Amino acid sequence: MSSDQRISRRTVLRGVGTALSLPLLDAMIPTPSLAAGAKPPAKPPVRMAFVFFPIGAYMPDWTPEKLGPDYALTPTLTELASIKKETLVLSGLAHDNARAKGDGAGDHARCSAAFLTGAHPRKTSGKDIHLGVSVDQLAAQKIGARTRFPSIELGCDPNRNVGNCDSGYSCAYSSNIAWRSPTTPVPKEVKPRAAFDRLFGSGNKDEIDKGTAKRDLYDQSILDLVSEDARRLQRRLGRTDKRKLEEYFSSVREIERRIAGAESVDIAGIQGTRPPGGIPRDFQEHARLMCDVLTLAFQTDMSRIGTFMLARAGNNRSYPQIGVRSGHHSQSHHRNETNKVADIQKIDRYHLAQFVYLVEKFKSVREGDGTLLDNSMLLYGSGIADGNRHSHHDLPTLLAGRGGGKIDTGRHVRYQRNTPLANLFLNMLDLAGASADSIGDSTGRLKQLTV
Amino acid sequence: MLKKNINERGGQFFQTVVSAVFGVVIALCGCFSDDLRADDVLYVTKIKPLLTKYCYDCHSGDDPEGKLSLEKYSSAAVALKDQATWKKIHAHLKSRKMPPKDETRPTEPEYKQILDWIDASLFNIDCQGDRDPGHVTLRRLNKVEYNNTVRDLVGIDFRPGDDFPNDDVGYGFDNIGDVLTTSPLLMEKYMAAAEKIVQRAIVANPLGPTTRYQAEKFKATSGRRPFLKMQILFGNAEMQQQHDFKEDGEYIIAVRVFGQQAGKDLPRMSIRVDGKELAALDVSATGDQPRVLRIRRKIKRGKRKLGIAFINDFYQEGTKDRKQQDRNLMVEYFEVVGPLNPKSKELPEAHQKIVFASPLTTGETSEQCARRVLRPFAVRAFRRNVHPRELDRLISLVKLAEDQGDSFERGIQLAIKTILVSPRFLFRVERDQFPRDSRRPHKITEFELATRLSYFLWSTMPDDELLRLAREGALRKNLAKQVERMLADSRSDSLVSNFAGQWLEIRKLESVAPDAKQFPEFDDALREAMQKETELFFAAVLRENRSVLDFLNGKYTFLNERLARHYGIQLAKSKETDGNKFRRVSLTGTNRGGVLTQGSILTLTSNPTRTSPVKRGKWILEQVLGTPPPPPPPNVDPLAEDKKAVESASLRQRMEIHRKNAVCASCHEQMDAIGFAFENFDAIGRFRTMDGKFAVEANGQLPSGEKFKNAQEFSAILSKSKHELFVKCLTEKLLTYATGRGIEYYDKCTVDEIFERMKKNDYRFVTLIHEVVKSDPFQKRRARGPAP
């Protein structure tokens, strides 16, 4: 089929109606890519998303005993029943850089900071924030230009706007898991509707059609002008101030790139899925709306890389809807008392259920001969294993999806104790076509993952 | 002769140098040795023995732990040479990380002694000489500041920044330069917000819908052809354009033209609709200055043929004066504006204020108008004078819009959108005068000072008066007066919502969730009332310029009926019928006073199901006394809270048992004693004498010996004997908020000095604000790098 015969995304979306999980037509694959003249790949692209949950889990109820495909689901992992075949349970992985290493308390801040970077955060309340580039951003920097949004960042908790977050660590460490550079976190969108609108516009088709070209020309001119302005300004500033302007520059460039490759998007087809405004009070409803947006983003190839923070590190939310009346963090120091352990286990399952929802959603989207899930890698994990003792080894880690048919899912695999979780990131980057030599404290690639 | 001279001079020179150097050496020794002697005595007699006792076991010998041998620091002088190591030692001692908990550890006073010595000798702060103002990193406007600034700059209050991601917090505040980052997501939102703002503020086609037809686009035919960016009508010819007049009504038809003049008449242009002439106009404008000619007519609705024609062509061959040879009409564009808005449809105020000149109304060129309109706006947006070249760049966007067939006003929209996403608007730019020399502090400019001042006191841009004073270089001279003026302005309410909201952490109230089963009476009305009480109280201390010690035990507060009921306080009968209204209430004779017994603080320092004396104690140590406890060591068994435990003894008794663990005791002793003072208040701030089936015991003793029976007595002790700690803590918080950076060791002099001035002025709040504004950290800056 020649490329001009492909149906544009636009046409398809118009026909999609309100259903989310209608197939992407084969003729539409690959969906239009931004890089002009880039050769469309023959297969659907491989996508990756990382879902973070805070304060680890009650591991005795998490880790299966047996290895291989025949392991029995543990009390917490019973949630996986419907997606067991598509999921890998990975044991033994660790984040050494989430450990104190002489920096004292602050395991929760280090939990989120190290989660996707494998790096050790510099302990500071503000000055000289320093961490590392996260795996999603590394991928975004390598292959993100192929889609309209190099990556998308979602979460349920807004960044804290008051107080100290954890024992002398700036809140930047506990509110973000995606880091563009060692000094710059990527903020997340917490409002479902805003996240949706960012991807698809607010849906007024007339407005979209009318003068898009002219508006792009204007925006382009404006951005040119302010870049020039920033360049003039930068020459006269000191080192740290320059860095602040560098953040500004790269943000402007990113938007310029988007305008340059823009194609008008008509969301008539998916308008019915536009989430309601505001933040739902119910956690599950909120989390699932965000999962829907993430699925849509990948399904329509608006982006291939995403992160989703179910809650902020050191979360102390209570969940009365599942019978947990005390805060998550207070209960996590359970000292193996039955009632607290029971609360933690409830929360573990509740959080996991949201991830399972996401995986099922991916599974329901048909793509080519398979499903969106077949072409994705969805990681579920935390930077802390045991919340009671703040340990950072034997992290609870799940990987769902076959990464383009390469991952041999449906098993429990145990790695040697203290194997860096960052090693898994290298495998994932390989499968996504964004190979890197190392990330954080990685020492090599994991074995026993692929078919 | 010559040689001898040189020798003589050389000898003299040598002598001079020697004595000079010698003199300096003596002088240096003189001043150093005094300091060192004092230091050394202390080091050798007090500090070294402590190090020997607690540290040498591991940190001495040939293979010391962590490759750190303390033996080599034989004297204070030797130690001082190794600042970096001692900074680490300081940190490890301060966090109680060292010595490890299974080794013998110094007592708390011993810890303090070592730390104080390191503080004093190593971070050797000399309050006499030049003070280090510290380095403030380029600050981006945070969400609140952005909203307020747009409100004041454009004149519309619609909070376009509410959709921005929350700004990260550092040092307890969300206006810290180092922590405020910029991302593509935020940039996108800035672009979208800017577009929304200009759409709201400025009407792109203020007279009515406008359609422009570019004349060069008409294909050549007999008598006319496109020429450069125009249509030249060189014979009696007409351009015809179908136009849809949407309604019956008044329309303006405007044509930008000039004439190539020849003969005795001016070129004459006819404007026609459906072949009927509406007007015939003489064109006096010439090529160096084209003009817009316009007519205003009633036209019936419908698709009609609009014609622009040249009707008095003139050509004379063989004239001597070639200029008198050929008369032509040149048209750049023509446009239809309308149906015109009825007079009753007033333009928005913001539009009238910002776009006070427009070529359609003043007859100036659009460049002239644009310059007039954009200069004052840019000055206010950038908070400083604007260079003509910067204006040129902005004006280029107006030209761009007009080239695209859009109106002048659309062009202004674009220029203003540019301003709103420009780094000079989004960042509070301050220049380092000596970017390469971090050891040279300098005063910030008057414009920079105006900006610091307004964002400190108002969380928004400087107003016209501040900018005027800055332009005249008269702000520093009138500083105190300006501070007074600014505090009297309602914009200073931002100190309540932003500073108090973060210092007292009442912003957290929004998200606290007391357990609904246990506290069914806690609802949003109560939540809001609690927040309001603390805000009103803070505002009263500020507005009435009261002593800041009122925060500790002021015997008054502000209540509405709901909160009064919650507190069990009878409101005096009054004419006020609205129960929701807050009234000032005396607390004399009650068990409350100051912010510490307000529902807000008591609730936000509690757990969902019970009070947390630890959290309350920690909160007071951090936010009130400025002496945060070190974080807990990991792997400590927490308090048992199963049903059996809860029923076995009171919370206090259980915590006392728990505290027997020596590691915990050192800090918890103080933290818990403070927290327990407030046990008479439950997790949502109600007074109680029983906790479950146990009687509340709120009595206690501070490590420094003072005893108290309850929260009232505790607060009295705070304001009597701990007031210095409190005032300094508040000063540090305010200084952090004002400068946007964390407090450093070198700020000690500033804080001490402010305390002394406060003391002389009955600790009045406004004095504190004046002093912060006058202080070096606020008035000066230096480049990033080693301290002076």
Side-chain angles (χ1 to χ4, degrees):
Chain A
M1 176 183 293
S2 82
S3 64
D4 28 337
Q5 275 177 309
R6 279 199 188 91
I7 304 168
S8 81
R9 172 164 64 215
R10 192 173 171 127
T11 336
V12 173
L13 290 182
R14 193 173 289 135
V16 166
T18 54
L20 257 177
S21 46
L22 277 177
L24 280 182
L25 300 180
D26 280 359
M28 193 183 140
I29 297 170
T31 43
S33 69
L34 277 179
K39 271 233 162 158
K43 286 180 55 181
V46 173
R47 283 80 135 202
M48 60 204 308
F50 303 84
V51 182
F52 169 85
F53 65 98
I55 329 187
Y58 181 65
M59 295 312 283
D61 281 352
W62 176 289
T63 315
E65 220 166 287
K66 267 175 102 180
L67 297 176
D70 299 324
Y71 72 91
L73 289 172
T74 52
T76 301
L77 296 191
T78 44
E79 294 291 334
L80 293 182
S82 65
I83 57 161
K84 189 181 173 201
K85 272 197 188 137
E86 289 85 3
T87 307
L88 270 175
V89 180
L90 304 173
S91 296
L93 299 174
H95 257 327
D96 182 48
N97 272 329
R99 293 179 177 135
K101 294 186 174 292
D103 289 343
D107 282 302
H108 293 293
R110 286 192 298 264
C111 157
S112 44
F115 180 52
L116 295 185
T117 62
H120 189 67
R122 182 178 291 158
K123 190 163 197 175
T124 164
S125 268
K127 201 167 81 175
D128 297 327
I129 282 177
H130 197 275
L131 182 60
V133 179
S134 56
V135 51
D136 59 304
Q137 291 303 302
L138 209 61
Q141 281 155 21
K142 296 203 176 193
I143 58 167
R146 294 177 193 167
T147 52
R148 185 162 165 87
F149 295 88
S151 64
I152 57 172
E153 292 70 34
L154 304 172
C156 286
D157 285 336
N159 291 14
R160 275 269 283 273
N161 61 356
V162 61
N164 294 304
C165 282
D166 189 5
S167 314
Y169 282 100
S170 161
C171 295
Y173 292 128
S174 35
S175 297
N176 304 290
I177 49 174
W179 288 72
R180 285 165 71 77
S181 79
T183 55
T184 316
V186 191
K188 56 200 188 294
E189 190 65 80
V190 296
K191 295 178 184 164
R193 171 171 279 183
F196 179 92
D197 286 354
R198 179 174 187 230
L199 293 171
F200 304 109
S202 54
N204 184 338
K205 186 176 167 316
D206 279 354
E207 225 170 72
I208 292 166
D209 279 358
K210 201 172 70 190
T212 305
K214 200 197 266 179
R215 204 186 45 209
D216 286 349
L217 168 77
Y218 286 161
D219 281 353
Q220 192 67 60
S221 313
I222 288 173
L223 293 170
D224 281 353
L225 224 139
V226 294
S227 304
E228 192 191 321
D229 219 21
R231 249 189 305 279
R232 279 166 212 271
L233 191 58
Q234 204 176 24
R235 272 185 242 134
R236 321 171 86 137
L237 295 176
R239 191 163 41 92
T240 33
D241 289 2
K242 274 198 177 113
R243 203 178 63 210
K244 289 282 152 193
L245 268 195
E246 192 44 56
E247 291 170 6
Y248 175 90
F249 263 134
S250 59
S251 303
V252 167
R253 271 196 300 270
E254 169 59 39
I255 296 178
E256 280 181 317
R257 185 191 71 83
R258 217 172 286 161
I259 292 174
E263 135 188 3
S264 106
V265 181
D266 178 13
I267 66 154
I270 49 175
Q271 216 158 20
T273 64
R274 187 171 182 229
I279 293 181
R281 284 232 155 185
D282 183 64
F283 172 79
Q284 173 161 304
E285 190 189 336
H286 187 187
R288 293 188 172 188
L289 284 173
M290 295 318 256
C291 289
D292 292 347
V293 173
L294 186 61
T295 312
L296 264 184
F298 283 12
Q299 182 185 3
T300 57
D301 207 24
M302 280 294 186
S303 184
R304 296 172 186 174
I305 300 158
T307 54
F308 178 28
M309 279 184 98
L310 273 175
R312 174 195 306 129
N315 163 55
N316 203 29
R317 205 194 265 257
S318 60
Y319 299 86
Q321 64 270 41
I322 51 163
V324 178
R325 291 161 66 214
S326 303
H328 185 183
H329 180 247
S330 354
Q331 296 307 87
S332 72
H333 291 283
H334 50 64
R335 207 189 165 199
N336 292 321
E337 282 163 33
T338 346
N339 63 326
K340 289 191 178 179
V341 167
D343 274 0
I344 289 304
Q345 210 243 15
K346 276 184 205 159
I347 297 174
D348 291 347
R349 286 185 65 161
Y350 191 51
H351 281 164
L352 181 55
Q354 313 315 321
F355 177 69
V356 172
Y357 172 87
L358 178 73
V359 177
E360 282 177 342
K361 196 105 208 176
F362 269 57
K363 204 170 142 185
S364 71
V365 176
R366 298 219 46 85
E367 198 172 79
D369 293 335
T371 66
L372 177 56
L373 184 60
D374 292 333
N375 300 311
S376 299
M377 296 175 277
L378 303 177
L379 179 104
Y380 183 69
S382 183
I384 279 185
D386 175 0
N388 184 36
R389 295 178 41 218
H390 285 181
S391 58
H392 301 284
H393 59 270
D394 236 337
L395 297 168
T397 311
L398 304 174
L399 184 65
R402 297 171 56 82
K406 296 279 174 56
I407 301 176
D408 184 11
T409 53
R411 295 172 302 136
H412 173 216
V413 183
R414 177 172 289 130
Y415 294 96
Q416 200 184 345
R417 201 179 147 104
N418 280 330
T419 304
L421 175 58
N423 288 3
L424 172 61
F425 299 160
L426 290 182
N427 296 72
M428 292 175 75
L429 288 171
D430 288 347
L431 291 171
S435 292
D437 295 336
S438 71
I439 175 170
D441 61 349
S442 67
T443 54
R445 283 155 174 82
L446 291 186
K447 299 211 166 73
Q448 312 177 54
L449 265 192
T450 44
V451 182
Chain B
M1 196 55 196
L2 190 68
K3 203 174 175 183
K4 191 184 166 205
N5 256 347
I6 290 175
N7 275 344
E8 271 173 13
R9 271 198 230 150
Q12 235 171 357
F13 176 72
F14 180 72
Q15 235 173 8
T16 323
V17 170
V18 168
S19 57
V21 169
F22 202 55
V24 170
V25 169
I26 290 172
L28 281 177
C29 293
C31 75
F32 260 35
S33 57
D34 272 351
D35 280 358
L36 285 189
R37 222 172 288 143
D39 258 356
D40 254 342
V41 170
L42 191 60
Y43 182 74
V44 173
T45 61
K46 294 272 158 61
I47 306 303
K48 217 170 142 207
L50 289 177
L51 299 179
T52 315
K53 182 169 170 195
Y54 295 110
C55 312
Y56 274 30
D57 270 0
C58 304
H59 294 289
S60 66
D62 291 339
D63 186 19
E65 280 291 322
K67 300 210 171 75
L68 168 69
S69 167
L70 294 170
E71 263 178 324
K72 63 182 177 200
Y73 302 115
S74 52
S75 70
V78 180
L80 285 174
K81 279 188 191 143
D82 197 358
Q83 288 233 0
T85 305
W86 282 87
K87 264 190 183 161
K88 273 189 208 148
I89 296 175
H90 186 271
H92 278 78
L93 290 174
K94 195 164 178 192
S95 64
R96 303 292 187 271
K97 210 176 145 323
M98 281 289 147
K101 65 169 188 241
D102 40 4
E103 301 286 340
T104 326
R105 303 171 123 203
T107 63
E108 277 305 301
E110 285 172 338
Y111 260 120
K112 190 171 177 310
Q113 195 171 19
I114 308 176
L115 286 169
D116 283 352
W117 178 82
I118 300 175
D119 266 334
S121 334
L122 224 61
F123 307 138
N124 184 18
I125 313 152
D126 175 13
C127 290
Q128 295 309 311
D130 273 350
R131 217 158 273 175
D132 181 359
H135 172 81
V136 173
T137 301
L138 186 65
R139 280 196 272 180
R140 173 171 65 67
L141 300 185
N142 68 19
K143 223 164 131 166
V144 174
E145 291 165 344
Y146 179 91
N147 273 337
N148 292 348
T149 304
V150 166
R151 173 197 68 201
D152 295 339
L153 180 64
V154 179
I156 309 177
D157 187 10
F158 72 111
R159 312 173 61 82
D162 280 1
D163 277 344
F164 297 174
N166 269 0
D167 299 304
D168 282 318
V169 176
Y171 307 104
F173 293 98
D174 64 359
N175 62 354
I176 306 297
D178 278 305
V179 185
L180 290 164
T181 52
T182 311
S183 59
L185 174 66
L186 186 62
M187 199 60 217
E188 249 171 64
K189 303 230 168 196
Y190 280 144
M191 285 291 280
E195 181 66 33
K196 247 194 247 169
I197 294 163
V198 297
Q199 292 296 350
R200 282 244 197 161
I202 297 168
V203 181
N205 295 300
L207 298 175
T210 302
T211 316
R212 177 176 297 184
Y213 301 105
Q214 232 38 62
E216 63 177 309
K217 300 215 168 112
F218 288 81
K219 288 211 178 88
T221 174
S222 101
R224 62 173 175 82
R225 64 181 167 87
F227 175 65
L228 297 175
K229 293 208 135 190
M230 294 165 287
Q231 183 84 199
I232 173 165
L233 288 82
F234 49 83
N236 285 334
E238 182 180 13
M239 285 179 289
Q240 282 194 351
Q241 172 67 45
Q242 169 113 326
H243 182 83
D244 187 4
F245 293 87
K246 292 250 159 72
E247 285 167 42
D248 293 357
E250 268 203 301
Y251 290 82
I252 288 177
I253 296 164
V255 193
R256 186 164 160 99
V257 282
F258 66 90
Q260 215 171 317
Q261 309 289 348
K264 62 180 179 11
D265 294 324
L266 291 169
R268 216 167 156 71
M269 171 180 70
S270 167
I271 300 175
R272 303 156 175 177
V273 168
D274 286 343
K276 190 180 147 221
E277 184 166 87
L278 298 184
L281 307 167
D282 287 335
V283 179
S284 58
T286 53
D288 48 353
Q289 189 143 38
R291 283 188 52 193
V292 179
L293 301 182
R294 56 179 68 85
I295 59 167
R296 185 177 176 141
R297 293 289 187 278
K298 284 195 173 131
I299 298 173
K300 290 243 181 263
R301 60 177 290 201
K303 285 186 181 148
R304 297 172 187 285
K305 229 174 254 155
L306 175 64
I308 305 294
F310 178 41
I311 52 174
N312 63 341
D313 184 36
F314 170 83
Y315 188 76
Q316 194 176 29
E317 216 152 342
T319 327
K320 275 190 197 158
D321 184 356
R322 285 197 55 158
K323 278 189 180 161
Q324 283 300 319
Q325 199 177 348
D326 192 4
R327 180 192 302 152
N328 296 315
L329 185 71
M330 323 286 275
V331 182
E332 270 182 35
Y333 64 78
F334 54 97
E335 62 187 17
V336 182
V337 184
L340 294 184
N341 294 326
K343 278 244 170 64
S344 57
K345 198 174 162 192
E346 278 254 317
L347 289 169
E349 213 181 308
H351 182 108
Q352 297 182 30
K353 215 177 112 195
I354 298 169
V355 198
F356 53 84
S358 151
L360 269 182
T361 50
T362 65
E364 289 164 297
T365 66
S366 57
E367 191 187 325
Q368 286 166 331
C369 285
R371 194 171 294 275
R372 280 215 290 150
V373 163
L374 290 175
R375 182 196 302 277
F377 190 88
V379 165
R380 294 170 62 233
F382 296 157
R383 308 172 281 267
R384 57 165 175 79
N385 286 333
V386 176
H387 197 276
R389 272 203 307 273
E390 283 176 278
L391 273 185
D392 289 342
R393 288 199 290 274
L394 291 171
I395 290 167
S396 73
L397 286 164
V398 180
K399 285 188 192 137
L400 174 71
E402 292 190 321
D403 286 347
Q404 290 293 313
D406 279 331
S407 67
F408 169 79
E409 284 79 3
R410 177 65 186 143
I412 295 292
Q413 282 185 339
L414 295 183
I416 287 184
K417 184 173 175 184
T418 308
I419 290 175
L420 294 175
V421 296
S422 154
R424 294 174 203 265
F425 171 73
L426 295 171
F427 292 91
R428 293 159 55 181
V429 180
E430 293 178 357
R431 293 268 171 76
D432 287 324
Q433 263 175 38
F434 314 106
R436 259 166 268 255
D437 188 356
S438 67
R439 291 167 208 275
R440 281 181 77 182
H442 60 89
K443 280 188 184 162
I444 54 174
T445 68
E446 289 250 320
F447 278 114
E448 290 164 358
L449 181 63
T451 299
R452 276 197 186 185
L453 206 52
S454 68
Y455 282 96
F456 171 35
L457 298 179
W458 285 350
S459 299
T460 187
M461 58 181 276
D463 65 354
D464 291 346
E465 182 165 345
L466 286 170
L467 288 176
R468 179 181 58 77
L469 286 168
R471 195 174 315 119
E472 292 165 2
L475 179 56
R476 271 202 174 78
K477 277 182 258 166
N478 291 290
L479 203 53
K481 227 160 113 190
Q482 284 301 311
V483 169
E484 294 287 344
R485 177 182 74 88
M486 293 176 75
L487 288 177
D489 187 292
S490 65
R491 274 170 285 193
S492 63
D493 285 344
S494 68
L495 281 172
V496 181
S497 49
N498 302 332
F499 175 70
Q502 297 185 80
W503 166 46
L504 298 172
E505 300 192 332
I506 43 181
R507 278 188 185 178
K508 266 190 195 163
L509 265 184
E510 262 172 50
S511 56
V512 296
D515 184 58
K517 255 194 213 157
Q518 205 159 331
F519 300 106
E521 48 283 276
F522 189 88
D523 58 11
D524 283 345
L526 187 61
R527 185 198 304 270
E528 280 156 28
M530 285 177 170
Q531 176 159 349
K532 186 94 183 162
E533 179 196 14
T534 305
E535 288 176 352
L536 288 171
F537 186 85
F538 181 93
V541 179
L542 170 69
R543 302 253 171 261
E544 298 165 25
N545 192 13
R546 305 178 74 97
S547 161
V548 297
L549 300 184
D550 278 10
F551 288 121
L552 301 180
N553 67 345
K555 292 302 275 182
Y556 56 92
T557 192
F558 299 83
L559 303 175
N560 64 1
E561 278 176 9
R562 176 71 197 279
L563 198 54
R565 212 163 51 234
H566 188 68
Y567 286 176
I569 289 176
Q570 192 72 41
L571 285 182
K573 285 237 158 61
S574 82
K575 279 181 214 142
E576 185 55 68
T577 48
D578 183 358
N580 250 328
K581 271 234 169 118
F582 278 77
R583 293 159 239 183
R584 193 187 194 106
V585 176
S586 163
L587 291 178
T588 315
T590 71
N591 33 42
R592 293 177 197 260
V595 291
L596 303 181
T597 54
Q598 290 179 0
S600 56
I601 311 288
L602 292 166
T603 304
L604 67 86
T605 54
S606 290
N607 285 340
T609 52
R610 61 159 172 88
T611 63
S612 168
V614 178
K615 276 192 192 166
R616 285 180 178 173
K618 181 167 173 266
W619 190 89
I620 289 174
L621 288 176
E622 279 172 352
Q623 309 304 125
V624 175
L625 297 174
T627 53
N635 306 341
V636 176
D637 288 341
L639 195 66
E641 281 200 87
D642 53 303
K643 209 168 170 223
K644 208 176 100 201
V646 171
E647 289 183 352
S648 67
S650 72
L651 179 62
R652 177 159 193 160
Q653 287 156 353
R654 285 185 290 137
M655 285 186 69
E656 271 161 14
I657 299 167
H658 181 63
R659 228 167 38 219
K660 290 211 170 106
N661 181 339
V663 187
C664 312
S666 57
C667 301
H668 273 277
E669 216 171 339
Q670 187 182 17
M671 210 150 53
D672 299 359
I674 295 176
F676 276 117
F678 296 87
E679 268 299 89
N680 276 128
F681 301 94
D682 72 4
I684 55 171
R686 280 177 305 197
F687 189 78
R688 62 177 182 185
T689 51
M690 297 292 288
D691 178 10
K693 57 183 176 180
F694 304 100
V696 167
E697 300 165 77
N699 60 319
Q701 183 174 11
L702 291 178
S704 42
E706 297 96 331
K707 289 186 179 166
F708 52 86
K709 280 211 221 51
N710 52 35
Q712 284 304 100
E713 291 191 10
F714 171 75
S715 298
I717 295 172
L718 278 192
S719 65
K720 210 181 284 162
S721 58
K722 304 281 173 199
H723 62 280
E724 179 168 346
L725 279 178
F726 166 65
V727 174
K728 284 186 177 173
C729 170
L730 176 58
T731 305
E732 290 189 356
K733 303 273 178 199
L734 199 62
L735 203 58
T736 302
Y737 177 77
T739 56
R741 65 166 173 83
I743 294 294
E744 299 283 346
Y745 64 90
Y746 46 72
D747 292 316
K748 185 176 178 301
C749 304
T750 302
V751 173
D752 286 352
E753 190 176 272
I754 293 178
F755 175 75
E756 290 307 321
R757 304 244 171 93
M758 291 281 287
K759 199 163 147 189
K760 285 189 195 120
N761 283 288
D762 305 324
Y763 304 109
R764 287 185 193 282
F765 202 164
V766 174
T767 305
L768 175 57
I769 289 173
H770 278 296
E771 290 302 325
V772 165
V773 167
K774 280 195 303 196
S775 72
D776 279 4
F778 194 84
Q779 291 277 337
K780 295 180 180 173
R781 68 179 277 115
R782 66 163 167 86
R784 184 69 176 266

